Amino acid sequence: MRINRALRVSVGAIALALTAATAAACGGGDSKSALDNAKEGKLTIGIKFDQPGLGLRNKDGSYSGFDVEVAKYVAGKLGVKTEDITFKEAPSAQRETLIENGQVDYIVATYSISDKRKEKVDFAGPYYIAGQSLLVRADNTSINGPDDLKGKKVCSVKGSTPASNIEKNYPDTQLQTNDTYSLCLEGLKGGSWDAVTTDDIILAGYAAQSAGSFKVVGKPFTTENYGIGLQKGDQELRDKVNDAIETMIADGSWKKAFDDTVGASGYQAPTPPTVVRY
Ligand code: GLU
Protein backbone atom coordinates (compact mmCIF):
# COMPACT_ATOMS: atom_id res chain seq x y z
CA MET A 1 0.00 0.00 0.00
CA ARG A 2 2.68 2.43 1.06
CA ILE A 3 4.84 1.43 -1.91
CA ASN A 4 1.94 1.97 -4.25
CA ARG A 5 1.31 5.45 -2.95
CA ALA A 6 4.98 6.31 -3.24
CA LEU A 7 4.99 5.05 -6.78
CA ARG A 8 1.95 7.07 -7.66
CA VAL A 9 3.54 10.20 -6.21
CA SER A 10 6.75 9.70 -8.14
CA VAL A 11 4.93 9.01 -11.40
CA GLY A 12 3.03 12.24 -10.89
CA ALA A 13 6.26 14.06 -10.16
CA ILE A 14 7.86 12.70 -13.33
CA ALA A 15 4.86 13.76 -15.40
CA LEU A 16 5.07 17.25 -13.93
CA ALA A 17 8.80 17.44 -14.54
CA LEU A 18 8.30 16.32 -18.13
CA THR A 19 5.66 18.99 -18.72
CA ALA A 20 8.02 21.59 -17.32
CA ALA A 21 10.89 20.33 -19.47
CA THR A 22 8.75 20.47 -22.61
CA ALA A 23 7.67 24.00 -21.81
CA ALA A 24 11.29 25.00 -21.21
CA ALA A 25 12.37 23.43 -24.49
CA CYS A 26 9.87 25.68 -26.23
CA GLY A 27 11.32 28.69 -24.39
CA GLY A 28 10.70 32.04 -26.00
CA GLY A 29 8.06 30.58 -28.25
CA ASP A 30 4.63 29.15 -28.02
CA SER A 31 4.44 25.74 -26.38
CA LYS A 32 1.14 24.96 -28.12
CA SER A 33 1.17 22.75 -31.18
CA ALA A 34 0.43 24.20 -34.59
CA LEU A 35 -2.91 22.38 -34.68
CA ASP A 36 -3.87 23.78 -31.26
CA ASN A 37 -3.05 27.26 -32.51
CA ALA A 38 -5.05 26.61 -35.68
CA LYS A 39 -8.01 25.47 -33.57
CA GLU A 40 -7.85 28.83 -31.83
CA GLY A 41 -7.90 30.45 -35.26
CA LYS A 42 -4.34 31.77 -35.37
CA LEU A 43 -1.08 30.71 -37.00
CA THR A 44 2.45 32.08 -37.13
CA ILE A 45 4.15 31.12 -40.39
CA GLY A 46 7.79 31.55 -41.35
CA ILE A 47 8.49 32.90 -44.83
CA LYS A 48 11.28 34.81 -46.58
CA PHE A 49 10.88 38.61 -46.62
CA ASP A 50 13.31 39.44 -49.44
CA GLN A 51 12.74 36.93 -52.25
CA PRO A 52 10.60 38.48 -55.04
CA GLY A 53 8.04 36.08 -56.50
CA LEU A 54 8.42 33.68 -53.55
CA GLY A 55 8.33 35.39 -50.19
CA LEU A 56 8.39 39.16 -50.10
CA ARG A 57 7.42 41.79 -47.56
CA ASN A 58 6.15 44.70 -49.61
CA LYS A 59 6.66 48.35 -48.74
CA ASP A 60 3.04 48.65 -47.58
CA GLY A 61 3.58 45.79 -45.11
CA SER A 62 1.68 43.20 -47.17
CA TYR A 63 3.22 39.89 -48.23
CA SER A 64 3.39 38.34 -51.67
CA GLY A 65 4.89 35.37 -53.49
CA PHE A 66 4.31 31.72 -54.27
CA ASP A 67 5.43 30.59 -50.79
CA VAL A 68 3.03 33.10 -49.26
CA GLU A 69 0.18 31.67 -51.36
CA VAL A 70 1.07 28.10 -50.36
CA ALA A 71 1.26 29.19 -46.70
CA LYS A 72 -2.17 30.85 -46.91
CA TYR A 73 -3.79 27.92 -48.74
CA VAL A 74 -2.54 25.43 -46.13
CA ALA A 75 -3.67 27.73 -43.31
CA GLY A 76 -7.12 27.89 -44.91
CA LYS A 77 -7.32 24.09 -44.93
CA LEU A 78 -6.38 24.13 -41.22
CA GLY A 79 -9.27 26.52 -40.65
CA VAL A 80 -7.31 29.78 -40.35
CA LYS A 81 -8.14 32.90 -42.34
CA THR A 82 -5.44 34.93 -44.07
CA GLU A 83 -6.00 37.92 -41.80
CA ASP A 84 -5.30 35.71 -38.76
CA ILE A 85 -1.85 34.68 -39.99
CA THR A 86 1.24 36.35 -38.55
CA PHE A 87 4.11 36.11 -41.01
CA LYS A 88 7.57 35.93 -39.47
CA GLU A 89 10.86 36.25 -41.31
CA ALA A 90 12.66 32.90 -41.48
CA PRO A 91 16.25 33.44 -42.71
CA SER A 92 17.83 30.25 -44.07
CA ALA A 93 20.12 29.55 -41.10
CA GLN A 94 17.39 30.07 -38.50
CA ARG A 95 14.64 27.84 -39.87
CA GLU A 96 15.23 24.69 -37.80
CA THR A 97 15.59 26.73 -34.60
CA LEU A 98 12.41 28.72 -35.26
CA ILE A 99 10.47 25.46 -35.63
CA GLU A 100 12.16 23.69 -32.71
CA ASN A 101 11.47 26.63 -30.38
CA GLY A 102 7.84 26.88 -31.41
CA GLN A 103 8.34 30.45 -32.67
CA VAL A 104 6.55 29.49 -35.88
CA ASP A 105 3.86 26.88 -36.55
CA TYR A 106 5.33 26.00 -39.91
CA ILE A 107 7.74 27.36 -42.52
CA VAL A 108 7.18 27.89 -46.24
CA ALA A 109 10.44 29.52 -47.30
CA THR A 110 12.22 27.89 -50.28
CA TYR A 111 13.13 25.25 -47.71
CA SER A 112 14.77 22.17 -49.22
CA ILE A 113 13.96 18.81 -47.68
CA SER A 114 17.24 17.25 -46.54
CA ASP A 115 18.26 14.34 -44.31
CA LYS A 116 20.36 16.66 -42.17
CA ARG A 117 17.42 18.98 -41.54
CA LYS A 118 15.14 16.00 -40.92
CA GLU A 119 17.18 15.25 -37.79
CA LYS A 120 15.62 18.37 -36.27
CA VAL A 121 12.35 19.05 -38.13
CA ASP A 122 9.86 17.24 -40.32
CA PHE A 123 8.68 18.19 -43.79
CA ALA A 124 5.42 18.00 -45.69
CA GLY A 125 5.65 18.09 -49.46
CA PRO A 126 7.42 18.63 -51.72
CA TYR A 127 5.25 21.38 -53.16
CA TYR A 128 7.87 22.55 -55.69
CA ILE A 129 11.15 21.26 -57.16
CA ALA A 130 13.93 23.77 -57.84
CA GLY A 131 17.63 23.38 -58.66
CA GLN A 132 20.78 25.27 -57.73
CA SER A 133 21.94 27.76 -60.32
CA LEU A 134 24.11 30.86 -60.77
CA LEU A 135 23.36 34.56 -61.18
CA VAL A 136 25.97 36.88 -62.74
CA ARG A 137 26.08 40.45 -64.04
CA ALA A 138 24.58 40.69 -67.54
CA ASP A 139 27.98 41.45 -69.15
CA ASN A 140 29.74 38.43 -67.61
CA THR A 141 30.83 35.80 -70.15
CA SER A 142 33.30 33.76 -68.07
CA ILE A 143 30.85 31.94 -65.77
CA ASN A 144 28.49 29.48 -67.39
CA GLY A 145 28.27 26.70 -64.80
CA PRO A 146 29.70 25.53 -61.46
CA ASP A 147 32.92 24.29 -63.05
CA ASP A 148 33.79 27.90 -63.93
CA LEU A 149 33.77 29.01 -60.29
CA LYS A 150 37.42 28.16 -59.54
CA GLY A 151 39.01 31.22 -57.89
CA LYS A 152 35.81 33.23 -58.33
CA LYS A 153 34.14 35.21 -55.54
CA VAL A 154 30.71 33.71 -55.04
CA CYS A 155 28.06 34.75 -52.56
CA SER A 156 25.42 32.54 -50.98
CA VAL A 157 23.55 32.35 -47.69
CA LYS A 158 24.53 30.85 -44.34
CA GLY A 159 22.75 27.59 -43.55
CA SER A 160 21.56 27.06 -47.13
CA THR A 161 21.99 23.88 -49.18
CA PRO A 162 23.60 25.76 -52.13
CA ALA A 163 26.31 27.15 -49.81
CA SER A 164 27.12 23.70 -48.43
CA ASN A 165 27.13 22.22 -51.93
CA ILE A 166 29.76 24.76 -53.03
CA GLU A 167 31.85 24.18 -49.90
CA LYS A 168 31.77 20.44 -50.38
CA ASN A 169 31.92 19.95 -54.14
CA TYR A 170 33.56 23.12 -55.50
CA PRO A 171 36.19 23.85 -52.83
CA ASP A 172 38.30 26.08 -55.09
CA THR A 173 35.54 28.70 -55.08
CA GLN A 174 35.99 31.76 -52.87
CA LEU A 175 32.64 31.39 -51.13
CA GLN A 176 31.27 34.22 -49.00
CA THR A 177 28.09 33.71 -46.99
CA ASN A 178 25.61 36.36 -45.90
CA ASP A 179 22.40 36.13 -43.89
CA THR A 180 20.14 36.88 -46.85
CA TYR A 181 20.22 36.70 -50.65
CA SER A 182 19.33 40.37 -50.98
CA LEU A 183 22.70 41.21 -49.35
CA CYS A 184 24.38 38.96 -51.93
CA LEU A 185 22.56 40.86 -54.68
CA GLU A 186 23.88 44.21 -53.48
CA GLY A 187 27.42 42.85 -53.54
CA LEU A 188 26.95 41.43 -57.01
CA LYS A 189 25.71 44.80 -58.24
CA GLY A 190 28.61 46.60 -56.55
CA GLY A 191 31.24 44.20 -57.92
CA SER A 192 32.20 42.53 -54.61
CA TRP A 193 31.32 39.10 -56.00
CA ASP A 194 31.36 37.49 -59.43
CA ALA A 195 28.26 35.36 -58.91
CA VAL A 196 25.44 34.60 -56.52
CA THR A 197 24.35 31.01 -56.12
CA THR A 198 21.08 29.55 -54.90
CA ASP A 199 17.98 27.96 -56.43
CA ASP A 200 17.07 28.88 -60.03
CA ILE A 201 13.60 30.12 -59.09
CA ILE A 202 15.00 32.52 -56.47
CA LEU A 203 17.63 33.88 -58.86
CA ALA A 204 15.00 34.31 -61.59
CA GLY A 205 13.04 36.54 -59.22
CA TYR A 206 16.05 38.81 -58.68
CA ALA A 207 16.89 38.87 -62.39
CA ALA A 208 13.28 39.85 -63.23
CA GLN A 209 13.41 42.66 -60.67
CA SER A 210 16.70 44.09 -61.94
CA ALA A 211 15.66 44.97 -65.50
CA GLY A 212 18.56 43.56 -67.48
CA SER A 213 21.40 43.95 -64.94
CA PHE A 214 21.73 40.24 -64.14
CA LYS A 215 21.28 36.89 -65.84
CA VAL A 216 20.83 33.32 -64.65
CA VAL A 217 23.43 31.09 -66.35
CA GLY A 218 23.85 27.38 -66.98
CA LYS A 219 21.62 24.48 -66.10
CA PRO A 220 20.44 23.75 -62.56
CA PHE A 221 23.02 21.46 -60.94
CA THR A 222 21.17 20.09 -57.89
CA THR A 223 17.63 19.03 -57.01
CA GLU A 224 15.95 21.08 -54.30
CA ASN A 225 12.65 19.64 -53.10
CA TYR A 226 10.79 22.44 -51.33
CA GLY A 227 9.00 21.21 -48.24
CA ILE A 228 6.90 22.82 -45.53
CA GLY A 229 8.95 22.61 -42.35
CA LEU A 230 7.10 21.36 -39.28
CA GLN A 231 7.70 20.36 -35.67
CA LYS A 232 9.43 16.97 -35.65
CA GLY A 233 7.10 14.10 -34.80
CA ASP A 234 3.80 15.94 -35.36
CA GLN A 235 2.40 13.28 -37.67
CA GLU A 236 -1.18 14.61 -37.55
CA LEU A 237 -0.04 18.05 -38.71
CA ARG A 238 2.18 16.56 -41.41
CA ASP A 239 -0.69 14.46 -42.77
CA LYS A 240 -3.00 17.48 -42.83
CA VAL A 241 -0.44 19.70 -44.54
CA ASN A 242 0.32 16.98 -47.10
CA ASP A 243 -3.43 16.66 -47.78
CA ALA A 244 -3.64 20.43 -48.25
CA ILE A 245 -0.73 20.47 -50.73
CA GLU A 246 -2.33 17.63 -52.72
CA THR A 247 -5.65 19.47 -52.85
CA MET A 248 -3.95 22.72 -53.82
CA ILE A 249 -2.36 20.95 -56.78
CA ALA A 250 -5.53 19.02 -57.72
CA ASP A 251 -7.98 21.94 -57.61
CA GLY A 252 -5.86 24.25 -59.78
CA SER A 253 -4.94 26.67 -56.97
CA TRP A 254 -1.28 25.64 -57.16
CA LYS A 255 -1.03 26.57 -60.85
CA LYS A 256 -2.95 29.81 -60.35
CA ALA A 257 -0.76 30.79 -57.38
CA PHE A 258 2.37 30.09 -59.42
CA ASP A 259 1.16 32.02 -62.49
CA ASP A 260 0.14 35.01 -60.35
CA THR A 261 3.49 35.21 -58.57
CA VAL A 262 6.66 33.69 -60.07
CA GLY A 263 4.91 33.32 -63.44
CA ALA A 264 4.12 37.04 -63.67
CA SER A 265 7.65 37.67 -64.98
CA GLY A 266 7.35 34.98 -67.66
CA TYR A 267 8.60 31.96 -65.69
CA GLN A 268 6.69 28.88 -66.88
CA ALA A 269 5.00 26.75 -64.24
CA PRO A 270 6.49 23.24 -64.29
CA THR A 271 4.49 20.07 -63.68
CA PRO A 272 3.69 20.06 -59.96
CA PRO A 273 5.52 17.45 -57.85
CA THR A 274 4.00 14.45 -56.11
CA VAL A 275 3.80 14.63 -52.34
CA VAL A 276 6.01 12.04 -50.66
CA ARG A 277 4.75 10.67 -47.34
CA TYR A 278 7.77 9.30 -45.49
N1 GLU B 1 16.48 25.73 -51.06
C1 GLU B 1 17.73 26.05 -50.48
C2 GLU B 1 17.74 25.85 -48.98
O1 GLU B 1 16.77 25.45 -48.43
C3 GLU B 1 18.18 27.46 -50.83
C4 GLU B 1 17.17 28.52 -50.61
C5 GLU B 1 17.18 29.12 -49.23
O2 GLU B 1 18.26 29.35 -48.66
O3 GLU B 1 16.10 29.39 -48.74
O4 GLU B 1 18.70 26.06 -48.32
Side-chain angles (χ1 to χ4, degrees), residues 204 208 258-259 261-269:
F258 193 93
D259 289 345
T261 55
V262 183
S265 52
Y267 208 87
Q268 291 294 311

Side-chain angles (χ1 to χ4, degrees), residues 136-200:
V136 297
R137 284 181 297 276
D139 60 358
N140 181 305
T141 50
S142 62
I143 299 174
N144 294 295
D147 295 327
D148 301 329
L149 295 180
K150 215 172 173 174
K152 295 283 197 297
K153 288 192 219 114
V154 177
C155 186
S156 195
V157 160
K158 288 188 188 104
S160 72
T161 47
S164 47
N165 182 34
I166 295 292
E167 267 163 19
K168 207 171 140 211
N169 297 315
Y170 303 93
D172 297 331
T173 308
Q174 289 186 46
L175 181 72
Q176 308 261 355
T177 49
N178 271 320
D179 288 332
T180 60
Y181 295 109
S182 46
L183 287 170
C184 283
L185 253 287
E186 278 169 37
L188 182 64
K189 208 177 283 172
S192 314
W193 353 102
D194 303 303
V196 174
T197 187
T198 186
D199 305 333
D200 48 1

